[in-house]
């Protein structure tokens, strides 16, 4: 290596330096000059060689490295490989990557601040690091019959070991590296770290490891079948039927470990000198996630058939624009001769006798150009005046002076016109009016030739494509054939074509939209589950007579065995090896999100329904045994279509607020139901208002429109109403209100749900079903045997005959359910009125169970959070997770956004209305009004208009 540099470097400089050393020369100035010359030659040698350039930082002073931000980055290994292999029907792509590098660089201000380091004047802190990375992945796919399969796996790991060691500014990095080697103590030994804590060169170390692993699998299939049918134009058209299924699963895990040891001043020794210790900071996290997804889709594509109908109708229905072109002479006789008028005026105004008028009107300039510009401008008023005749030329009876006077007044605004020029303008206007009349009479003659001189049957046949479109159009066209005249012809044909054009456009627009020729159904569901474990610890360790307890704690931090962290910390404190107060916490968290959605596309109109359920839980315990906890259950239900958007959301949160003393558990609830859209007319609002008022037992505001005045004080019309007004039913319970709900007896919960639920069903279906819901319940309850305290107890017992859990299809009620209800099982006919009614009653029975379940699970969650053991946090989190998810499921029963695919298309969400009225009573609010429904206007969200009175 030395020989290589001697060859590359300036030989004279090297020899001069060597000779001075061998000859015992002691001249400092000569020695410094030789050193400088040698260093310059070496740097030049580094720059002259690409392979040697990466070693250049070794020859630079630390101060220069700090200023330039450069450093040593040597990649020792960096292999990477990709390979494609086949195994049976599977084709796999494999990839691997590895790297190992040595790094030495000077820390900048930001890095020093992050680490909490402050070097002495004239020194820099160098980071010496060894970084390694390893990654591998595989992905593959295969086809198995109609199925397409995919699988993949990825794994990666990164490790870094760093030391922070100070060096003088003038020291070159190569020298500093050699001098730093004795200070690179084993990072897993607390004793070795403390031994070096008193050396000003040593500042600490960091060990870090990051890893991840992911596995995924998916399967999908798509089946498309075609059927043939005869198209409207006589050609065969294709109908397509499709079915798609796809599913996927993924599992992932990620981890982080970072243990940082930084030298800190820690008080004084008995002799009064400064004592230094090592601040140990641990950050650990581990997260895992898994997700499942399933999607089913089906559709019918009639695009080809629609295209066939479009071609047929276009061939049978002539474009009205082509007919209207020939009607211009009848409906706009002036416009039809616009060019002739403009040309005649340009010729007249170009005459020298009109020079003064042109200059006065159009300004100075070339008269010919000015005449053309003025002719264009004053032609329009004359054309407009002739158009206004509308073919009624007989009305001027050869005397058009009044029309001409109006034209000249509009054209020249009262400017003086020479007598002879005025005569010429009058003559020009007369001539143009006569020309327009002649063309108009020619058009009428053509109409007479085509229609009037033929029999009525012939006229009908001539206009058959138009007449066949409807009686109204046919009547207009017959009127043309029977009453040809200057006026009736234009008016009647215009009316008939206007009706025809609207109908033709309506038909072809529908067929022209390919989306309208499709029917599609998509069902999708997803489930995502994540878990998170985190640990944070920080303490300053100092030398002590017995480091055994401190070393055991330090090794536990390295290994991750932290179940006894509190005990180990206390033992290390008693030994005197910890300075000050240590701090730290353990955290366990989980989150589950499930989504179920339905989407239907009917000829271009989409109906979407989606329900998202989320459960989140977090527990945290510190070194003193204090516990903080929070949980949240959220259900969001959305229903959207071309006509309306409806949303229901419920959020129940719980917090363990007190860290010391008896655990204080606080619940809070927030919810809202909202609706807006094209169908939100004042009449619908009034219907929703009456329904909600009936549920709560109050009365609705009488005049919706009177409450919803526009900016000018006038009631909005339906269009403005739908665009601006939204319906809102908000709910909020906190503190004592929610505690009253928890303290309510379960039997009282059931009674309230039945009472308010039956009111809601009567309000929704009382005028729709053959038998009102309350009457049906009384009939079913009468069939229940037993002794009951009152009628309500009998009703509750009747609901107990239904299955305990809701099925998405009420038809899943078996004949045994009919028998338990005292009904003849032979009455069980899917789609019958009775079956639909029983299905709705089934939904109410589920709500009855859900409210009791909600209360019971809130009690269970409170007990679980009160019993959290800070030393067994994982087990405590698992115990609280079960009731929290049960709470989410219970809330989902009430979060129905109306107009769902379940049951009926409901004007207002009666499950939500039932829950709102019942909860208002439970929490001690007066019912009516309970939670008040409101109308909300844009920009006035903070000033809702109440719709329900007490």
């Amino acid at each position: 290596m030395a020989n290589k540099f001697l060859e590359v470097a300036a030989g004279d400089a090297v020899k001069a330096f060597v000779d001075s050393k061998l000859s015992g020369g002691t001249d400092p100035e000569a020695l410094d000059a030789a050193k400088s010359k040698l260093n310059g030659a070496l740097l030049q040698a580094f720059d002259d060689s690409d392979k040697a350039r990466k070693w250049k930082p070794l020859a630079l002073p630390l101060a220069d490295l700090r200023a330039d931000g450069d450093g040593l980055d040597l990649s020792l290994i960096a292999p990477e490989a990709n390979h494609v292999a086949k195994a049976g029907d599977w084709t796999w792509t494999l990839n691997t990557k590895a790297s190992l590098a040595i790094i030495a660089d000077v820390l900048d201000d930001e890095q020093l601040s992050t680490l909490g380091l402050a070097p002495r004047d004239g020194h820099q802190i160098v980071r010496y690091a060894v970084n390694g990375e390893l990654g591998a992945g595989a992905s593959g796919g295969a086809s198995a019959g109609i199925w397409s399969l995919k699988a993949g796996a990825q794994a990666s790991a990164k490790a870094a070991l760093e030391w922070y060691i100070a060096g003088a500014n003038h020291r070159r990095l190569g020298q500093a590296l050699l001098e730093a080697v004795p200070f690179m103590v084993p990072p897993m030994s607390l004793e070795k770290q403390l031994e070096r804590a008193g050396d000003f060169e040593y500042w600490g170390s960091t060990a870090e490891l990051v890893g991840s692993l992911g596995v995924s699998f998916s399967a999908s299939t798509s089946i498309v079948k075609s059927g043939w049918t005869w198209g409207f134009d006589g050609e065969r058209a294709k109908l397509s039927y499709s079915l798609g299924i796809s599913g996927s699963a993924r599992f992932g895990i990620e981890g982080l470990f970072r243990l940082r040891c930084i030298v800190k001043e820690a008080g004084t020794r008995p002799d009064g000198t400064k004592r230094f210790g090592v601040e140990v900071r641990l950050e650990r996290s581990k997260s895992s996630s898994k997700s499942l997804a399933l999607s089913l889709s089906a559709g019918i594509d009639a695009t080809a058939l629609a295209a066939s109908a479009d071609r047929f109708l276009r061939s049978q229905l002539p474009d009205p624009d082509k007919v209207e072109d020939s009607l211009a002479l009848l409906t706009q006789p002036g416009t039809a001769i616009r060019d002739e008028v403009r040309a005649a005026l340009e010729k007249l105004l170009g005459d020298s006798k009109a020079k003064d008028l042109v200059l006065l009107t159009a300004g100075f300039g070339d008269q010919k150009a000015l005449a053309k510009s003025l002719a264009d401008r004053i032609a329009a008023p004359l054309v407009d005046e002739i158009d206004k005749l509308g073919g009624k030329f007989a009305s001027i009876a050869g005397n058009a002076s009044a029309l001409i006077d109006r034209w000249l007044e509009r054209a020249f605004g009262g400017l003086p016109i020479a007598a002879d020029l005025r005569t010429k303008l009058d003559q020009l206007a007369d001539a143009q009016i006569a020309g327009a009349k002649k063309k108009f009479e020619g058009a009428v003659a053509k109409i007479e030739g085509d229609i009037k001189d033929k029999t009525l049957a012939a006229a009908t046949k001539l206009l058959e494509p138009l007449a066949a479109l409807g009686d109204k159009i046919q009547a207009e066209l017959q009127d043309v054939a029977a009453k040809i005249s200057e006026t009736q012809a234009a008016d009647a044909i215009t009316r008939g074509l206007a009706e025809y054009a609207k109908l033709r456009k309506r038909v072809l627009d529908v067929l022209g939209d390919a989306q309208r020729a499709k029917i599609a159904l998509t069902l999708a569901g997803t489930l995502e589950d994540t878990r998170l474990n985190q640990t944070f610890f920080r303490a300053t360790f100092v030398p002590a007579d017995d480091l055994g307890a401190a070393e055991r704690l330090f090794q536990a931090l390295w290994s991750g065995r932290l179940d006894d962290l509190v005990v180990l910390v206390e033992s290390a404190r008693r030994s005197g090896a910890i300075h000050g107060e240590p701090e730290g916490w353990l955290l366990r968290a989980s989150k589950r999100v499930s989504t179920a959605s339905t989407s239907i596309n009917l000829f271009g109109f989409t109906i979407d329904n989606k329900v998202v359920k989320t459960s989140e839980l977090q527990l945290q315990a510190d070194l003193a045994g204090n516990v903080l906890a929070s949980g949240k259950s959220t259900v969001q239900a959305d229903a959207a279509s071309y006509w309306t958007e409806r949303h229901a959301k419920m959020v129940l949160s719980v917090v363990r607020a007190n860290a010391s003393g008896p655990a204080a558990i606080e619940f809070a609830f927030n919810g809202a139901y909202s609706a807006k859209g094209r169908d939100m007319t004042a009449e619908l609002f009034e219907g929703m208002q009456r329904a909600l008022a009936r549920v709560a037992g109050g009365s609705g505001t009488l005049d919706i429109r009177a409450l919803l005045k526009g900016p000018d004080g006038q009631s909005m019309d339906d269009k403005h109403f739908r665009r601006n007004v939204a319906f809102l039913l908000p709910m909020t319970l906190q503190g004592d209100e929610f505690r009253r709900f928890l303290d309510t007896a379960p039997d009282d919960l059931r009674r309230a749900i039945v009472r308010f639920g039956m009111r809601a069903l009567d309000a929704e279906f009382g005028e729709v079903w053959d038998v009102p819901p309350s009457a049906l319940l009384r009939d079913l309850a009468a069939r229940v045997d037993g002794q009951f305290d009152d009628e309500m107890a009998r009703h509750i017992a009747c609901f107990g005959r239904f299955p305990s859990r809701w099925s998405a299809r009420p038809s899943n009620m078996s004949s045994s359910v009919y028998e338990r209800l005292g009904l003849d099982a032979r009455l069980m006919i899917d789609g019958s009125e009775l079956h639909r009614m029983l299905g709705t009653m089934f939904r109410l029975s589920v709500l009855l169970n859900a409210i009791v379940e909600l209360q019971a699970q809130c009690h269970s969650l409170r007990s679980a959070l009160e019993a959290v053991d800070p030393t067994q946090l994982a087990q405590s989190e698992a115990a609280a997770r079960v009731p929290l998810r049960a709470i989410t499921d219970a809330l989902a029963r009430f979060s129905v956004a109306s107009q769902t695919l379940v049951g009926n298309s409901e004007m207002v969400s009666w499950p939500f209305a039932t829950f709102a009225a019942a909860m208002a009573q439970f929490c001690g609010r007066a019912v009516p009004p309970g939670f008040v429904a409101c109308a909300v206007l844009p920009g006035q969200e903070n000033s809702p208009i109440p719709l329900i009175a007490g």
Side-chain angles (χ1 to χ4, degrees), residues 447-455 480-481 484:
I447 293 290
E448 290 176 340
D450 289 344
I451 299 177
K452 187 175 182 181
D453 294 342
K454 297 182 181 180
T455 63
V480 174
I484 283 294

Side-chain angles (χ1 to χ4, degrees), residues 541-559:
F541 291 86
V542 293
D545 294 336
D546 183 5
L547 283 176
E551 195 69 60
R552 286 191 293 273
L553 172 57
F554 191 72
Q555 295 306 315
L557 298 177
W558 262 97
S559 64

